[in-house]
Amino acid sequence: MKILYVASMGIPLRDILSGKKVEEVTHSPGFFQPWYRMALRGHQVDFVVTSNFDDYRELNVDWFTKDNLKANIYDPAVELPFWRRIPRRLSRLFRLVYHVNKALREEDYDFVICWAFFEGFVANILANWHGVPSGMRSMGTLLVPELRERGAIRTAFRHPIEFLSFKLRKNFFLMTDDGTKGDELFQAWRPSRKKYDYLFWRTGVEFKTIDDVSSKINKPAQLYLFFAARLDPWKRHDLVVETVRILHERGLPVNLYFAGAIQSDSYFQQVMKQAADAGIANYVRYLGGIPSDDLRRYAYYAVANLFMYDVSNLGNVFFETYTTGGVIIGRNDGSLDEYIDAGRNGFLIDKPEQAADIIEGLLSDQYDVDAIRQAAMQDSRQRCFSMDERFNAEVAMIEHVVKTGSTGLESDADGICRLNKVTIISS
């Protein structure tokens, strides 16, 4: 089977092109795991990507070669006013159309995976033009708050590519159920007649205890909070820094370790300035992007792990922390309700002052931390999909589409295909 991915360059692809091994890949299992598993099953997986990366190194895996990278449309990110970004966006569009069309002409692909939304939209159109089966993949959405405020039509005019992506013909549209309410967006923008199966699946996680974690980092000697998220305004690093400021004001000089790729340089500088202005810069340490096992180790030994995002906190870092037994303090936005039983296996809060109260209680032995850790680990095994369950199902579904032209999945009364523990997908 020959598969073409069209996407912005996911961090796992960048890691592999940087010479990292599988165990060193950071972030985005939803991007990496299906690709990796299809390659191990003998399928050819090629890429056309846009990126701000061109620092290639010698590859250290035997299941991917640079020949599999059909085109890297190098396009470094710039923070400029909208009108000054127009020429760059048009150039990127024309180059993307050219290289995707070239790949589809020259290779007899069995399937195209279209990563939402810009690159995937172009790929979806060209796959339909060439008569190649396709599926769209989205990790979630940030549009539902706007949808609720402005309505479906006004939101569509403000986000035409996203809107049209819901209207185009394809074999499936798989969106991660990450608490951002992608099912609500589908209901608002779904085609008038069925053009694809809409799959709304939760992610999978590798279950590990702290003894299973393979990490070379030493346990930090000082007391610290941990926060892992890419540097993007909606991840709300500012609320985490504010929590640390409050603790210092109360005479509790805890440290803050945070990790993640820098999505926005200006936001990174803003966060560091906030820490400096609060007089806690010497207590804040930025680790950069780190492998999953390092993340789990930092998360486990932290006094607490803070999740204070806007929209939803149900991301990969939450699952890695939860399943390893890290102490979680999460924003009470509804996204964690099925996983966190407040006070038993973690905590839910509304504002930084409440997070500081709980951390103060943790430091004064007000809570049984070992019991909280054990409850989180035990509950996660019942409430979460394993990595194998989730991503083997996705690979099998893609193989089924290539063989039969159909996902073979049943939808609910609302027209959505959900994954559960008894779902069987034949390969």
Side-chain angles (χ1 to χ4, degrees), residues 323-341:
T323 56
T324 309
V327 177
I328 289 170
I329 301 176
R331 200 170 185 175
N332 188 22
D333 60 0
S335 62
L336 304 181
D337 288 356
E338 293 186 38
Y339 301 93
I340 296 298
D341 303 330

Side-chain angles (χ1 to χ4, degrees), residues 36-49:
Y36 176 53
R37 289 164 190 260
M38 284 190 287
L40 291 185
R41 290 173 76 146
H43 303 311
Q44 177 183 324
V45 183
D46 296 337
F47 289 86
V48 172
V49 296

Side-chain angles (χ1 to χ4, degrees), residues 204-355:
V205 63
E206 187 174 9
F207 296 135
K208 287 187 176 184
T209 67
I210 190 61
D211 293 331
D212 298 324
V213 169
S214 176
S215 172
K216 296 179 181 179
I217 65 166
N218 294 320
K219 174 186 174 182
Q222 65 269 48
L223 296 173
Y224 68 97
L225 307 177
F226 186 58
F227 181 61
R230 69 178 181 271
L231 271 294
D232 200 337
W234 76 276
K235 298 291 188 178
R236 300 307 302 268
H237 294 70
D238 60 307
L239 296 180
V240 178
V241 172
E242 173 63 9
T243 302
V244 177
R245 185 199 67 77
I246 294 169
L247 288 166
H248 279 244
E249 190 177 69
R250 296 180 183 181
L252 298 169
V254 297
N255 293 267
L256 170 62
Y257 287 14
F258 68 101
I262 297 177
Q263 184 83 7
S264 167
D265 287 321
S266 63
Y267 183 62
F268 174 73
Q269 296 301 326
Q270 177 186 327
V271 170
M272 298 308 291
K273 183 178 184 303
Q274 180 189 358
D277 291 347
I280 59 173
N282 291 336
Y283 292 86
V284 177
R285 180 181 176 189
Y286 172 56
L287 304 171
I290 59 176
S292 174
D293 273 10
D294 287 355
L295 185 153
R296 290 172 185 265
R297 188 169 178 84
Y298 278 117
Y300 183 83
Y301 288 113
V303 174
N305 299 266
L306 302 178
F307 294 85
M308 306 176 82
Y309 307 168
D310 288 336
V311 186
S312 173
N313 287 275
L314 195 63
N316 294 316
V317 175
F318 167 80
F319 286 113
E320 289 166 341
T321 302
Y322 183 56
T323 56
T324 309
V327 177
I328 289 170
I329 301 176
R331 200 170 185 175
N332 188 22
D333 60 0
S335 62
L336 304 181
D337 288 356
E338 293 186 38
Y339 301 93
I340 296 298
D341 303 330
R344 193 182 71 84
N345 63 3
F347 303 91
L348 297 175
I349 52 92
D350 294 305
K351 53 188 179 180
E353 290 81 3
Q354 292 171 327

Side-chain angles (χ1 to χ4, degrees), residues 391-412:
F391 295 112
N392 285 345
E394 184 171 338
V395 171
M397 184 267 296
I398 293 170
E399 292 174 334
H400 194 271
V401 169
V402 172
K403 289 179 181 178
T404 69
S406 167
T407 65
L409 298 175
E410 300 256 341
S411 59
D412 295 341

Side-chain angles (χ1 to χ4, degrees), residues 34-75:
W35 160 36
Y36 176 53
R37 289 164 190 260
M38 284 190 287
L40 291 185
R41 290 173 76 146
H43 303 311
Q44 177 183 324
V45 183
D46 296 337
F47 289 86
V48 172
V49 296
T50 61
S51 81
N52 59 2
F53 172 87
D54 66 350
D55 185 20
Y56 304 110
R57 307 290 176 87
E58 183 177 349
L59 299 183
N60 281 308
V61 297
D62 59 7
W63 46 267
F64 180 81
T65 72
K66 289 181 181 176
D67 289 338
N68 295 124
L69 184 61
K70 296 301 181 182
N72 175 20
I73 302 166
Y74 180 60
D75 189 29

